[in-house]
Amino acid sequence: MQARAVLGVVLAVTCAGAVFSFLLRPGGLLWGETEESQVRGIVEASRLLVDKSVYAAMRRNLHKREVISPAQLLSFSKLPEPTSRAASRAAEVMEASVQEAARRGHLRSGPSQLPTDALSEGLLSAIANLSGCLPYMLPPRCPATCLASKYRLISGACNNRDHPRWGASNTALARWLPPAYEDGISEPRGWNPHFLYKGFPLPPVREVTRRIIHASNEAVTGDDRYSDLLTAWGQYIDHDIAFTPQSAAPSAPWVGADCQLTCEPRSPCFPIQIITLRDYVPRILGPEAFGRHVGPYRGYDPSVDPTVSNVFSTAAFRFGHATIHPLVQRLDARFQEHLGPRLLLRDAFFRPWRLLEEGGVDPVMRGLLARPAKLQVQDQLLNEELTERLFVLSDAGTLDLASINLQRGRDHGLPGYNEWRQFCGLSRLETRADLGAATANGSMADRILDLYGHPDNIDVWLGGLAESFLPGARTGPLFACLVGKQMKALRDGDRFWWEHRAVFTEAQRRELGRHSLSRVICDNTGLTRVPRDAFRVGQWPQDFESCDRIPGMDLRAWREAPPPDDACGFPDKVENGGFLLCDDSGRRVLVFSCHHGFQLQGPEQVTCTRRGWDSQPPVCRDINECENEVDPPCHASARCKNTKGSFQCECSDPHVPGEDGRTCVDSGRLPRASVVSLVLGAVLVCSLAGLTWTVVCR
């Protein structure tokens, strides 16, 4: 009887649990979770997942500081500053949340739709808001001072008054074509081995490097026209305008995958304006393509979006990697190479001490000017310094730049080669003969199609590199189109472009036009003779001219005379800030700003009148960053301490600050208090033992 009663109670509880779980489940009949609470839970779980990944990466790096791997070096070189890091983290949280929402079935229709299309607009907006992405999508606050029409912001924001985020930092790269992801969100092409493209799987990127791109260090053809400085300049501006920060966290659960030890598809395994547009880009595109894709300057066009595009940043402008020489040339004052053994790239990466101890910058600059660049030859694309020996500091492995470039394109969702040819108005390549004609190299076409199976499948970076050069150019038709389109947008969509008549006076533009890279070298190095055209490979001494004969700017064109009847003078120095003079319709205006970590209290600008300044100058007050509860400056694992103009994230022993400066990471050692206790305990034990021994002996 008692057993039956117990069984009845168990059955009742079980049935009640089943009923209530049905009623309370998502989409249940009664008292179910609201969509808002579900989304909030999804985002919070995603945030914890991302933070856990960040913490794991920082702890791993903390314990591997003695032996730095090439992958760590690459990661460290791309660590973003705090604002970029916050934007990157918010994006990671939003991506993880969208994937989880799609997995749980928050879809408007069937699973055939891409998740980002199938999720409702309201749901996506809620995720964007809760993840912290929304502030980076909304228009920023633009200054309304007279300086706003005279100087650009360092972030690039507010250049376009109608679209203040166009061209700004910490914004998404522009997409000129829809992304190609295997899951519709972030899984790159080639991620799933069962996916077929035109009946063929995509080849692993390392296999593409090994069979098509790799060349020995000895297989180098010199460029008979251009110097190594052309390559160096391309690297310089590429890292300036196309820099993408390291992901805030490798997507869990594959944190810590080592690309040297696994082939699994894991996430971690994958004046300038003038010189660039006037001197550099025409040489890359050739005169005909430059005229077609860039053309003469017609003035500022506020309808043009100058945002750097995905395909330019991750593929087209990476063409320059095929022009990198395996040797760093260093020449003496007579332009002879006798400064010790030849320096391979592997022995130059991350070794700034060579500049301090082996002759300084001047020998390197002479080598850039007087030695030809590596010519991009189809059978000599990237040398082994880049494909086998990139970032070598220890025996912990190396990186392969070609594979990184190929995987980067897939990670960014770039469609295949033919999609971009069609985008540029070029014919699609359908057969082996078509590809052979585009490359003018039947052997290259055969090797590519033996791996990819069909021209549609070819990664755009490889396809662009394989094309034969246009006349007078250093790129083929596809990269000429993509680079030219981007450069034209950067120029025409820039309100502060130097040729825009609202920016400089006629005299100032004339002086700017006289400036050159050769003059920059004369003014900033110890060289006294340079080629008049720094991008043309020069023969010493006949092609080198004295710096005295290289024209430069006359800065007197920027001299501003003080107004004749000035009754204002200048206010006292602003503590923790400063001011700039600005002319506003003939009136003298001072525009005030504060140093980082301080904020203005009072008017942002004051105007000079006949009676003096129309207002008292403002003061700069310290910002207490620790009071920010919406976006705390320190991780929850740390204590925030406000300091003058900044803050500190303090950790409790044995935790130490991670590489982001805001998260506390377990150092793996005992707390100092524990060490002291152990020492004192040992002393006490030894003392007692000694005392006991003394008593016993007596």
Side-chain angles (χ1 to χ4, degrees):
M1 187 70 181
Q2 187 177 4
R4 291 181 180 179
V6 171
L7 180 60
V9 171
V10 170
L11 287 174
V13 171
T14 303
C15 292
V19 171
F20 277 102
S21 65
F22 170 75
L23 295 176
L24 297 177
R25 73 182 182 183
L29 299 178
L30 297 173
W31 306 309
E33 282 187 283
T34 65
E35 185 174 70
E36 180 183 356
S37 64
Q38 291 182 46
V39 170
R40 193 175 297 276
I42 288 172
V43 173
E44 187 57 34
S46 299
R47 181 178 288 107
L48 292 174
L49 190 65
V50 169
D51 285 348
K52 181 180 178 181
S53 299
V54 172
Y55 181 87
M58 287 190 292
R59 186 175 183 184
R60 185 173 64 253
N61 290 338
L62 177 70
H63 295 302
K64 290 186 177 181
R65 284 179 177 173
E66 297 300 321
V67 181
I68 302 294
S69 70
Q72 282 179 289
L73 278 177
L74 181 64
S75 174
F76 291 157
S77 70
K78 293 170 70 66
L79 280 177
E81 51 80 41
T83 304
S84 301
R85 184 166 57 236
S88 181
R89 174 178 174 270
E92 294 274 358
V93 173
M94 182 168 182
E95 179 188 347
S97 301
V98 168
Q99 290 176 327
E100 180 62 16
R103 189 187 68 81
R104 294 192 186 186
H106 292 269
L107 306 176
R108 288 181 298 194
S109 57
S112 60
Q113 281 188 285
L114 295 178
T116 47
D117 294 332
L119 294 175
S120 69
E121 184 176 344
L123 185 60
L124 287 173
S125 298
I127 292 176
N129 184 34
L130 293 170
S131 66
C133 263
L134 193 59
Y136 301 100
M137 301 162 65
L138 297 175
R141 175 183 173 273
C142 293
T145 67
C146 70
L147 288 179
S149 61
K150 195 171 184 179
Y151 302 110
R152 69 176 77 239
L153 297 178
I154 192 171
S155 65
C158 303
N159 189 312
N160 188 305
R161 286 298 186 173
D162 296 326
H163 305 279
R165 283 209 178 272
W166 279 6
S169 61
N170 294 321
T171 54
L173 296 171
R175 288 200 182 275
W176 292 347
L177 285 178
Y181 288 120
E182 290 185 348
D183 67 344
I185 301 177
S186 62
E187 285 185 1
R189 298 194 315 148
W191 182 274
N192 299 288
H194 63 277
F195 268 57
L196 298 181
Y197 296 84
K198 294 288 184 178
F200 301 93
L202 288 188
V205 293
R206 178 61 181 168
E207 190 68 6
V208 178
T209 295
R210 191 180 65 81
R211 294 177 57 178
I212 299 175
I213 297 173
H214 167 81
S216 70
N217 284 345
E218 290 70 32
V220 174
T221 301
D223 194 318
D224 61 357
R225 183 178 300 179
Y226 298 124
S227 70
D228 238 354
L229 193 56
L230 190 77
T231 298
W233 187 262
Q235 287 289 102
Y236 170 58
I237 61 174
D238 173 56
H239 293 172
D240 177 45
I241 63 179
F243 180 78
T244 305
Q246 181 76 8
S247 171
S251 300
W254 38 80
V255 176
D258 189 334
C259 300
Q260 302 300 321
L261 305 178
T262 179
C263 290
E264 296 177 47
R266 294 188 172 190
S267 188
C269 301
F270 17 84
I272 297 175
Q273 291 181 352
I274 302 172
I275 295 170
T276 300
L277 260 293
R278 184 193 64 192
D279 303 334
Y280 173 79
V281 175
R283 287 165 165 80
I284 299 302
L285 306 189
E288 181 181 343
F290 184 84
R292 183 187 315 121
H293 299 300
V294 182
Y297 184 62
R298 306 293 187 190
Y300 170 58
D301 185 348
S303 68
V304 172
D305 182 358
T307 301
V308 172
S309 70
N310 226 308
V311 69
F312 173 85
S313 170
T314 61
F317 214 49
R318 309 279 174 170
F319 80 92
H321 291 163
T323 66
I324 296 176
H325 203 284
L327 293 172
V328 177
Q329 305 280 357
R330 295 179 295 176
L331 307 180
D332 63 16
R334 296 190 300 275
F335 284 77
Q336 300 298 312
E337 187 175 3
H338 73 268
L339 294 174
R342 307 181 85 184
L343 183 61
L344 289 165
L345 275 180
R346 74 184 73 166
D347 299 321
F349 285 129
F350 295 97
R351 289 171 173 85
W353 56 266
R354 290 193 179 277
L355 291 178
L356 301 176
E357 300 178 10
E358 296 181 356
V361 173
D362 289 356
V364 178
M365 183 56 67
R366 295 188 194 103
L368 292 174
L369 289 169
R371 289 292 181 266
K374 173 187 173 294
L375 190 65
Q376 179 184 315
V377 178
Q378 291 164 327
D379 295 324
Q380 306 169 0
L381 289 179
L382 267 69
N383 58 71
E384 63 187 80
E385 293 300 299
L386 302 178
T387 63
E388 311 297 327
R389 306 292 293 174
L390 186 68
F391 296 173
V392 178
L393 283 187
S394 65
D395 296 329
T398 64
L399 291 178
D400 169 12
L401 183 59
S403 294
I404 290 173
N405 286 346
L406 291 165
Q407 190 62 49
R408 180 191 286 118
R410 296 181 184 185
D411 293 344
H412 282 251
L414 296 184
Y417 172 54
N418 261 337
E419 295 299 313
W420 290 107
R421 282 187 59 90
Q422 182 173 321
F423 171 81
C424 283
L426 302 169
S427 61
R428 296 179 69 96
L429 308 180
E430 301 295 343
T431 66
R432 194 172 295 258
D434 291 343
L435 185 60
T439 61
N441 187 323
S443 173
M444 168 68 81
D446 289 341
R447 283 184 286 140
I448 291 176
L449 288 185
D450 286 346
L451 268 180
Y452 284 90
H454 192 278
D456 280 2
N457 302 343
I458 300 171
D459 291 286
V460 61
W461 181 67
L462 175 62
L465 283 185
E467 291 182 346
S468 57
F469 288 165
L470 292 171
R474 289 297 178 266
T475 55
L478 176 60
F479 279 177
C481 162
L482 297 174
V483 172
K485 177 179 173 64
Q486 182 66 72
M487 290 297 176
K488 180 177 174 62
L490 287 170
R491 181 194 67 182
D492 295 354
D494 183 3
R495 183 162 55 97
F496 297 99
W497 183 255
W498 75 282
E499 293 174 288
H500 184 209
R501 294 193 173 276
V503 177
F504 294 112
T505 66
E506 184 65 36
Q508 290 168 344
R509 287 195 299 274
R510 186 166 54 250
E511 292 302 321
L512 287 168
R514 288 163 50 86
H515 212 43
S516 65
L517 183 54
S518 296
R519 186 68 252 173
V520 172
I521 295 170
C522 285
D523 292 340
N524 294 278
T525 70
L527 274 65
T528 58
R529 296 177 67 86
V530 296
R532 186 169 286 272
D533 183 349
F535 290 144
R536 283 274 187 178
V537 62
Q539 297 295 320
W540 174 264
Q542 59 267 32
D543 295 331
F544 285 71
E545 293 193 25
S546 170
C547 284
D548 295 336
R549 300 181 60 184
I550 303 296
M553 287 188 296
D554 186 347
L555 295 179
R556 288 177 295 182
W558 281 265
R559 178 175 293 168
E560 296 178 342
D565 300 322
D566 181 27
C568 295
F570 288 101
D572 294 334
K573 180 181 177 181
V574 178
E575 186 177 4
N576 302 313
F579 56 82
L580 287 174
L581 178 65
C582 185
D583 181 77
D584 185 13
S585 303
R587 299 179 302 168
R588 198 155 68 105
V589 174
L590 294 182
V591 180
F592 293 84
S593 62
C594 294
H595 298 160
H596 183 75
F598 296 86
Q599 61 185 1
L600 279 175
Q601 286 194 351
E604 189 174 8
Q605 71 177 30
V606 297
T607 304
C608 183
T609 68
R610 293 181 180 179
R611 298 180 180 180
W613 297 110
D614 64 352
S615 179
Q616 290 295 316
V619 295
C620 292
R621 302 291 188 193
D622 175 54
I623 300 173
N624 188 348
E625 293 87 355
C626 298
E627 295 178 347
N628 187 345
E629 297 180 354
V630 177
D631 186 19
C634 297
H635 186 262
S637 59
R639 296 186 307 274
C640 183
K641 177 184 177 182
N642 187 55
T643 61
K644 187 176 181 180
S646 186
F647 63 92
Q648 289 181 347
C649 297
E650 299 180 332
C651 301
S652 299
D653 186 51
H655 293 76
V656 296
E659 60 202 31
D660 65 349
R662 64 182 295 270
T663 305
C664 293
V665 182
D666 189 352
S667 64
R669 57 172 173 77
L670 287 173
R672 292 186 181 90
S674 299
V675 174
V676 172
S677 299
L678 288 173
V679 172
L680 290 176
V683 171
L684 181 60
V685 169
C686 292
S687 299
L688 290 174
L691 180 62
T692 303
W693 180 261
T694 302
V695 171
V696 170
C697 289
R698 287 180 179 176

